[in-house]
Amino acid sequence: MDLRGREVRRTCVALREQARLKALVVDRDTEAWQRDAAFLGLQRVGGVDVSFVKGDSVSACASLVVLSYPELEVVYEDCCMVSLTAPYVSGFLAFREVPFLVDAVRRLREKEPRLVPQVLLVDGNGVLHHRGFGVACHLGVLTDLPCIGVAKKLLQVDGLENNARHKEKIRLLRAGGDSFPLIGGSGTVLGMALKSHDHSSKPLYVSVGHKISLEAAVRLTQGCCRFRVPEPVRQADIRSRDYIRRTLGVPGPPAPGQERCLRGDRCMWEGTSQIPSSCPLLLPPWMSQPSFRSSQSWEWDYPELGCTGSLGCPPWDPRLLVLCL
């Protein structure tokens, strides 16, 4: 069989398996805490992430963290270097990454069963997917845990488009917790666009993964946000990238007082009200300059941290990253 034939066969096998697992998805609340307005009974929330070694599409770190709720303090973490040998195919990301996340959940159940999370937040989509079965659904079904898909970008499926009308709806989101439904061309509500933080100009796209309703998924996602990205996902991302740096010997954050300023200006961020258009940042050597979207909104994109946020609530150690006046 030639290469093309093998690819077609692999895709057909993946489609059949995806359809089989999709039939097992539960899109309603299954636990009493999910139906409680304050999530009484919820004590542990988990987050997962797969971070790649820069310039390498195979070597990565799979991480699982568990946080206490509502305190959002990390009580467990598992990071492991993995080799993702399965090829990336659009719409089948789960087949490439989920096996390693399932392994992390299995290790947790064996080592610390009392710390198994009652729900997992996944950096990706659930039913908001080309075939209604994204990575959050896949992980939820295989682990039998409630899962929520939390994506930072809109997956344009079933007629959903990041067009002018969609952007106008985003503009009308005023405060953290505001949201609007993502209704596909078929009339199906695939998820919700959620403004997770007062200072964030970009929404999160929340969708059901498994064993939870969309309403509860949106409320819990909001309840887990100290910054734009929910804390379980943010901590999994931060710790996986730190593990890669420590494992591969890449320099990490410098000690206080040893940071690098790109212009040598006097630096501080407290008490400022507007970002000068040419304002550099005081950065550790292993970080590049972030991309600022607006001098008024204090919003940035940080590729190394895989996040977007606002200076109103910085997700960094202020000793390492400050604004130059």
Side-chain angles (χ1 to χ4, degrees):
M1 186 182 295
D2 60 14
L3 178 61
R4 177 61 179 167
R6 287 196 297 271
E7 290 177 350
V8 171
R9 183 168 182 232
R10 188 186 302 119
T11 300
C12 289
V13 170
L15 279 169
R16 286 196 297 271
E17 179 64 2
Q18 201 173 62
R20 183 185 73 83
L21 295 174
K22 179 183 176 181
L24 303 176
V25 169
V26 176
D27 60 359
R28 65 182 184 278
D29 293 329
T30 57
E31 307 294 330
W33 62 261
Q34 296 168 343
R35 293 183 285 272
D36 185 88
F39 295 122
L40 290 179
L42 178 60
Q43 298 177 321
R44 300 173 306 280
V45 294
V48 294
D49 182 70
V50 176
S51 294
F52 284 86
V53 175
K54 190 172 183 179
D56 189 335
S57 62
V58 174
S59 299
C61 176
S63 66
L64 163 67
V65 298
V66 181
L67 283 67
S68 60
Y69 187 87
E71 299 84 5
L72 299 179
E73 300 296 332
V74 176
V75 297
Y76 174 90
E77 70 174 284
D78 177 304
C79 294
C80 182
M81 295 301 297
V82 298
S83 295
L84 282 72
T85 54
Y88 170 74
V89 180
S90 179
F92 298 98
L93 175 66
F95 289 95
R96 180 168 161 84
E97 298 185 356
V98 162
F100 303 106
L101 302 176
V102 171
D103 284 345
V105 174
R106 175 187 53 79
R107 288 193 295 271
L108 171 55
R109 281 177 164 147
E110 292 174 353
K111 293 189 298 183
E112 296 280 359
R114 64 184 181 85
L115 293 179
V116 172
Q118 294 162 274
V119 60
L120 284 171
L121 277 71
V122 182
D123 183 9
N125 292 295
V127 298
L128 176 55
H129 178 264
H130 303 87
R131 286 171 294 282
F133 192 75
V135 62
C137 298
H138 205 129
L139 181 61
V141 169
L142 293 185
T143 60
D144 197 33
L145 290 172
C147 274
I148 301 171
V150 184
K152 294 186 284 290
K153 293 183 179 180
L154 175 66
L155 185 61
Q156 301 185 64
V157 298
D158 192 17
L160 293 176
E161 294 183 51
N162 189 20
N163 53 22
R165 183 181 178 187
H166 182 77
K167 291 174 181 176
E168 176 61 17
K169 289 181 179 180
I170 292 174
R171 192 184 67 80
L172 295 176
L173 299 177
R174 299 298 186 188
D178 288 353
S179 63
F180 62 84
L182 301 169
I183 304 175
S186 63
T188 303
V189 178
L190 299 173
M192 296 285 282
L194 169 69
K195 185 180 179 72
S196 59
H197 195 280
D198 288 343
H199 299 284
S200 179
S201 64
K202 285 188 175 182
L204 296 174
Y205 297 98
V206 181
S207 56
V208 170
H210 186 49
K211 285 189 165 184
I212 194 168
S213 67
L214 180 58
E215 185 271 336
V218 172
R219 283 197 297 119
L220 182 57
T221 299
Q222 171 66 20
C224 288
C225 287
R226 288 176 172 169
F227 313 111
R228 181 194 178 219
V229 177
E231 199 65 10
V233 173
R234 196 176 78 90
Q235 288 296 329
D237 176 75
I238 290 172
R239 289 162 192 263
S240 64
R241 293 172 188 275
D242 182 62
Y243 188 83
I244 289 174
R245 285 191 288 271
R246 288 186 284 111
T247 301
L248 301 184
V250 179
Q258 296 181 348
E259 302 92 343
R260 166 176 63 92
C261 183
L262 299 188
R263 280 198 336 201
D265 295 342
R266 174 177 175 268
C267 298
M268 62 184 298
W269 59 272
E270 294 181 328
T272 60
S273 60
Q274 183 172 343
I275 304 172
S277 59
S278 61
C279 179
L281 287 172
L282 184 64
L283 298 172
W286 46 269
M287 278 190 178
S288 61
Q289 283 284 299
S291 172
F292 280 99
R293 293 196 298 275
S294 168
S295 65
Q296 301 290 335
S297 67
W298 297 78
E299 298 273 328
W300 75 88
D301 292 300
Y302 235 115
E304 284 88 348
L305 296 181
C307 68
T308 301
S310 76
L311 286 174
C313 293
W316 58 73
D317 183 336
R319 295 173 305 174
L320 302 180
L321 190 62
V322 290
L323 277 175
C324 297
L325 285 177

